[in-house]
Amino acid sequence: MIFGLETKTQPISKEQVWESWKRIKTGGEGVGVDNFTIAMIEKNPRKYLYPLWTRLTGGSYFPPSVREVKIPKGDGKERSLGLLTMVDRVAQDVIRAELEKIVEPTFHPSSFGYRPGKSQHDALEQCARNCWERWYVVDIDIKGFFDHIDHEQMMRILRKVTDKRHILLYCERRLKALVQTDDGTKTERLEGSPQGGVISPLLSNIFLHEVFDSWMQQVHSIMVFERYTDDIIIHTRSMEQSEFILDKVRARMK
């Protein structure tokens, strides 16, 4: 035989890769470091997706560098956005889809960000209802959350929710993927998960489910809240109660 039998060590099917490609090709057009567009891959998807599948199943897939771009914010500052290659978006979506099925049933009902069947409007409706009963709120936005997720803590939490080797392998490699600026400079990512990453919203929900949602449910169960990724509203009945829970949350985040 000209081609020997390929060793498949990771349980990822061709169908998973194809379904992820169908989702990715309906998304954003921003290109990664290889400058490949959706249209280019669409002309001959097998040329790009079959090698991806073989690398994923063989455990040899390493994410390419993330192209970093700066996006202006309303306050005059900038935030970093990570643009992935189209093929890497597919690879991330394969893992995201499988991991989401595992963790989604465990998530808190007051977590609304980037979850199937939930939206900003659902969060606002619940917030309005809670405001009728509790007239005070603590409004929390975690500064630089995506940029500063601790990789070691993220992997520790992931190991608590799944023991699937291929999910842990590719999540860890994704977190450590290099960052490349427009001048071609590549730097190591020591913390954080890039905004713009296909799996980043799910990882953030897994992280904050452990750090905030479950902690609130276990330790401060009388409190009600809404969380949309790293934006949180906690409803309270007095200024004193607001100051109390804010101090507790600050200590927890530290």
Side-chain angles (χ1 to χ4, degrees):
M1 293 179 64
I2 297 176
F3 300 105
L5 294 175
E6 298 174 75
T7 302
K8 306 302 181 188
T9 62
Q10 312 303 325
I12 297 172
S13 69
K14 295 177 184 177
E15 289 75 20
Q16 285 176 274
V17 174
W18 183 249
E19 289 301 315
S20 288
W21 163 241
K22 290 195 293 186
R23 286 189 289 268
I24 293 302
K25 71 179 183 178
T26 64
E29 294 288 342
V31 297
V33 294
D34 60 2
N35 291 318
F36 285 2
T37 64
I38 292 175
M40 292 168 63
I41 299 175
E42 184 74 345
K43 289 179 181 179
N44 189 1
R46 178 181 172 83
K47 175 182 177 181
Y48 301 97
L49 300 182
Y50 184 78
L52 171 65
W53 173 70
T54 60
R55 293 198 300 273
L56 285 172
T57 56
S60 62
Y61 179 76
F62 284 85
S65 301
V66 178
R67 180 185 170 204
E68 184 182 57
V69 296
K70 300 293 185 180
I71 306 297
K73 296 172 64 176
D75 57 4
K77 298 180 180 179
E78 294 180 325
R79 67 181 177 92
S80 296
L81 183 67
L83 295 182
L84 314 177
T85 67
M86 293 300 169
V87 171
D88 191 41
R89 293 185 198 183
V90 177
Q92 279 200 40
D93 190 74
V94 168
I95 302 303
R96 179 209 58 79
E98 187 173 353
L99 181 57
E100 185 176 77
K101 291 179 181 178
I102 296 170
V103 299
E104 176 61 29
T106 70
F107 282 163
H108 195 285
S110 292
S111 168
F112 293 92
Y114 303 101
R115 293 185 61 190
K118 289 179 176 285
S119 69
Q120 300 98 318
H121 302 292
D122 297 322
L124 288 170
E125 288 176 7
Q126 179 173 302
C127 182
R129 291 195 301 270
N130 284 329
C131 283
W132 281 105
E133 297 181 4
R134 295 169 168 84
W135 288 16
Y136 295 81
V137 299
V138 178
D139 182 4
I140 298 171
D141 180 13
I142 304 173
K143 184 178 180 181
F145 172 67
F146 281 92
D147 295 333
H148 298 294
I149 291 177
D150 183 276
H151 289 174
E152 185 176 337
Q153 288 185 344
M154 183 75 255
M155 291 308 302
R156 176 180 57 80
I157 293 171
L158 274 174
R159 291 186 188 99
K160 292 174 67 174
V161 302
T162 182
D163 59 358
K164 291 189 175 184
R165 186 174 63 172
H166 62 291
I167 291 179
L168 297 172
L169 173 69
Y170 290 126
C171 282
E172 187 166 26
R173 288 181 183 176
R174 162 47 47 207
L175 290 171
K176 294 180 178 180
L178 298 177
V179 178
Q180 181 172 323
T181 55
D182 285 338
D183 64 2
T185 302
K186 295 182 180 181
T187 57
E188 185 179 0
R189 182 184 296 278
L190 301 177
E191 61 180 357
S193 182
Q195 292 194 59
V198 174
I199 203 170
S200 292
L202 180 60
L203 292 181
S204 72
N205 273 336
I206 293 171
F207 191 92
L208 286 176
H209 174 75
E210 165 101 357
V211 172
F212 181 80
D213 301 352
S214 296
W215 171 75
M216 285 286 287
Q217 192 170 31
Q218 295 167 9
V219 183
H220 302 289
S221 58
I222 65 169
M223 299 287 187
V224 296
F225 66 90
E226 296 84 36
R227 182 175 66 78
Y228 197 94
T229 314
D230 59 335
D231 294 304
I232 304 168
I233 295 288
I234 305 174
H235 300 265
T236 64
R237 298 187 184 278
S238 67
M239 184 63 73
E240 291 76 18
Q241 194 178 48
S242 297
E243 292 172 348
F244 168 82
I245 194 61
L246 181 56
D247 287 342
K248 295 297 184 182
V249 171
R250 280 175 173 156
R252 173 67 171 171
M253 293 298 174
K254 286 181 181 179

